Each structure stands twice: as structure tokens, then as C-alpha cells.
Amino acid sequence: MRRSPKARQTKSKARIRAFDELVEAQENRTPGKAQILIQVPERLGGTVIEAKGLTKAYGDRVLFAPFSGEISRTERIAILGPNGCGKSTLMRVLAGVAQPARGSVVLGTGVRTAYYRQDFTHLNPDHKIRDEVALVAPRITTQELRSHLGRFLFSGDDAESRVGDLSGGEQARVALAKITLEKANLLLLDEPTNHLDLESREALEEALEGFDGTVVLISHDRAFLAATATRVWGFNGDRVEDFAGGFDEWVEHTKRRAEAAPAVSRASSTPSAAPVRAATGLSKNEQRRREREMERLEADIAALETRIAELESALADPALYASGTTPERARQLTADLTTAQSSLAAAYESWERMGEELAGV
């Protein structure tokens, strides 16, 4: 049923009033030790991201075939699929730090993005914690910064610690401390719960629940996904499926799809990243060895994808081609990019072959 102009106007006023109340509540709130507060962003319009015909490949390895989709305000999109399928690459394309082979990403009016990388390459290891976090809020006062860092368990002299000397969990908290100050209305979160303890994961979950912006996330934390995701972009081979449902519905959907598929193809169509202990003919020791090798390959793939994104970003920098600069640097970056892409394609082939052997395919 279509609403009358008066009804639409009333609903619009209610949304504005709710937003103002959220701002006031956040400003007056006194957070406890385990609470994460995300700075209230500027409100968005309807469409936040429009992906148009995105394709990405490394050598002969196609990560995702032409994919199109739209994300609207306040949606929580989970990008799901097996390890190494290209989830982080798709996230980097959405963030604008990697370029698709074809297609484009269009951001809506007023969209401000904050990107959490699982490898923490967006953190400067030589900075002190307080200096690294303050980069995104240059007007923050010393007291405000101290209070903000305290919410992430960095108090007193802790804030003077060097980022490069921190543990994975501590670096995760620094990254979250930065993002929550950016007043972004689009959060791109690649494995944000990986290094967090239970209390911090629950605090992040609560913060995202009250966040008035849009979230795109990658995670292996099933409880976190079930509580957060409202929609799924799921990898099925090199195809990305836009699924209108949450994580639990997606799991049921993939189970039904696997049951309907021929037995030989079930292992490749199931989204679980866990190795399938089928009748492979391998001994238990050999099976464990190959599973460890797969884990090593997954780490290599993640590192190579990060390296490729850095090289692509460097090659896209106009300063590299400015008048007076020599071409040697660009040639070297291009050569390094070609080498990294070849290594990534080989790593993907090894990973797929190992997975097929473990699955008994």
C-alpha cells in the first residue's frame, strides 16, 4: 500500500527525531570498560554502494565473474565463502584500494568509508598508539583522546606504546579505535573479530547494532555473523550470489543447494572453509600435513593479495608519472606486480588442488 504524502512526511520527521535522540544519547553516554562507541555519522541517502559488473582475475584464475549489486542505508552485508575464494579482494575493490579487471563501484552521495584490514597494513608500526588514532581526528583534545583510548583498554602509559610492538589483539583494538572516530557512515570490516577476546567481540556486536550507517563485513565468527548480517553476498565458485537473508538462512540455503547437487560437486558448493574428511585414501598423518599446508597457502594468498593491492595503489599514484621523475620506479613496480600476480595464481592452483585431494574429488 502506498503511503500518503502526509504519512511519508510523518515518517521522515520520526526518523530525524530518532537520529537526533541517538546523537544526544551517544554524547551523554558514559561507557564502561568493555563498550565500543562508534561516532554518529552523517545520515546517508538510499543507495550507499552500487557495484556494476565487477570482475577480478589473477592470470587464469577468475576470482569472481561479472557481479552487480546495490547496498542500501543501514544494511549489514556479510561476504561469505571458502578461504582463498576472493572475499578480501572483493572488499578491497569496494574500498577502492584495488581495481577490478572490469566493472565499477559507485558510492552514493555523502558516503564516507572506513576500512578495517585484517592484516593491519593500514596501521603505521612506528607510531605511538595515541598518535596513530589521533590521525583520523586532528581536532580531538588530549582529554577526549585519552578517554576514547581508555574505552579500548589503552590507559595511562599504554597509549605511548609503539604500534609495531603490540600483539594481534592490541593492534585490532587500535584499528577499531581509529575507525570509531572517523565518523564514517560505511564500515568495511575484514575479519574484525579475529584477534578480539569475547568481551571485545560482544562490545563490537553491540556497537554495530546501534550504528546508523551501513556495514559490509567478512568473518569466520558464526555467532557474530548470525547476530549482525541482514543480507549475504556468497561465493559459489567464481559467482557471487546476492542472497536476501541473514547468515542462518544462508547456511540453510547452501545446505539445500548441496543436497540437490551431484555428490561429486558437493564439496565445492558448500561454503564451509573446513576441510572435508572424505574417503581420500590418505593416512591421518598425511591428511593433517596437507591441511597444515592448506593453512600455509591461505596465509600466502592473503599476503600476496595485500602486496598486489599495495603495488596497484602505488602504480595509480599520479606522482609516479609527474614531470621530472624517472621511469625506473614505475617499471620496477610493474615487474613486481606481474611477479606477485603470477605467484598468487600459482598459490590458488595449489590451494585448489590440495582441497580437491582432501575432499576426495
Side-chain angles (χ1 to χ4, degrees):
M1 183 178 71
R2 297 185 65 183
R3 292 186 178 87
S4 67
K6 183 177 181 180
R8 290 197 298 269
Q9 186 179 36
T10 300
K11 186 174 182 181
S12 178
K13 288 180 178 178
R15 285 175 173 168
I16 294 172
R17 186 164 55 252
F19 177 79
D20 291 339
E21 289 172 355
L22 177 61
V23 172
E24 183 179 358
Q26 198 172 75
E27 287 176 346
N28 296 332
R29 187 176 178 186
T30 303
K33 190 174 182 180
Q35 289 181 331
I36 295 175
L37 299 180
I38 303 175
Q39 292 290 315
V40 175
E42 177 185 346
R43 282 183 300 165
L44 290 166
T47 301
V48 178
I49 293 182
E50 185 177 3
K52 300 179 179 180
L54 295 181
T55 301
K56 187 70 174 179
Y58 294 116
D60 294 330
R61 164 68 178 175
V62 178
L63 295 186
F64 41 89
F67 167 68
S68 299
E70 286 189 8
I71 302 176
S72 301
R73 187 172 74 86
T74 72
E75 282 196 296
R76 273 76 172 126
I77 308 292
I79 301 177
L80 302 179
N83 288 342
C85 69
K87 299 187 297 292
S88 292
T89 300
L90 177 55
M91 183 74 87
R92 282 196 289 273
V93 170
L94 295 177
V97 299
Q99 297 301 313
R102 294 187 181 88
S104 62
V105 174
V106 180
L107 298 181
T109 303
V111 173
R112 183 172 178 177
T113 303
Y115 176 29
Y116 178 103
R117 304 189 189 194
Q118 62 170 312
D119 56 10
F120 306 130
T121 54
H122 53 312
L123 302 179
N124 188 326
D126 296 323
H127 280 175
K128 294 180 179 179
I129 292 175
R130 59 174 173 80
D131 296 330
E132 180 66 21
V133 174
L135 284 174
V136 298
R139 296 183 180 180
I140 194 170
T141 67
T142 301
Q143 183 55 48
E144 289 171 340
L145 179 60
R146 186 179 294 117
S147 297
H148 181 71
L149 291 175
R151 296 174 189 136
F152 294 86
L153 312 184
F154 298 119
S155 57
D157 293 339
D158 293 341
E160 302 298 316
S161 300
R162 182 176 168 273
V163 171
D165 295 331
L166 303 177
S167 67
E170 289 168 333
Q171 289 191 7
R173 285 189 275 121
V174 171
L176 288 172
K178 284 186 68 175
I179 281 181
T180 53
L181 271 185
E182 290 190 51
K183 294 187 177 180
N185 42 31
L186 170 61
L187 301 182
L188 304 177
L189 308 177
D190 191 350
E191 298 287 2
T193 65
N194 256 8
H195 301 281
L196 299 180
D197 57 27
L198 178 60
E199 188 178 56
S200 297
R201 288 201 301 271
E202 291 176 347
L204 176 60
E205 184 181 310
E206 291 176 5
L208 292 178
E209 184 178 351
F211 178 56
D212 192 47
T214 301
V215 180
V216 181
L217 62 94
I218 297 170
S219 179
H220 286 87
D221 187 330
R222 297 174 70 89
F224 179 70
L225 288 168
T228 306
T230 60
R231 193 165 138 218
V232 171
W233 285 359
F235 276 77
N236 181 17
D238 63 2
R239 186 173 66 87
V240 180
E241 180 178 353
D242 190 345
F243 179 76
F247 175 72
D248 291 336
E249 290 86 358
W250 168 258
V251 172
E252 290 302 316
H253 169 69
T254 55
K255 282 181 180 178
R256 290 193 298 270
R257 185 176 65 197
E259 289 167 358
V264 172
S265 66
R266 285 182 185 175
S268 61
S269 64
T270 303
S272 172
V276 179
R277 292 184 180 273
T280 61
L282 301 173
S283 67
K284 288 185 177 180
N285 286 339
E286 179 62 15
Q287 206 159 283
R288 290 194 198 97
R289 187 191 70 77
R290 297 197 183 195
E291 287 172 3
R292 288 195 295 270
E293 178 64 13
M294 279 195 74
E295 291 174 358
R296 185 192 65 78
L297 285 168
E298 288 165 6
D300 289 347
I301 287 169
L304 284 165
E305 287 182 335
T306 297
R307 177 61 177 155
I308 287 169
E310 292 171 348
L311 290 167
E312 289 177 338
S313 178
L315 284 166
D317 186 357
L320 184 64
Y321 312 98
S323 177
T325 59
T326 57
E328 283 75 14
R329 172 65 174 161
R331 290 196 193 103
Q332 184 60 54
L333 288 171
T334 302
D336 291 346
L337 178 60
T338 300
T339 300
Q341 288 174 332
S342 297
S343 298
L344 182 61
Y348 269 125
E349 289 177 7
S350 298
W351 184 86
E352 285 184 337
R353 184 173 61 254
M354 194 78 65
E356 290 173 353
E357 291 172 356
L358 284 169
V361 176

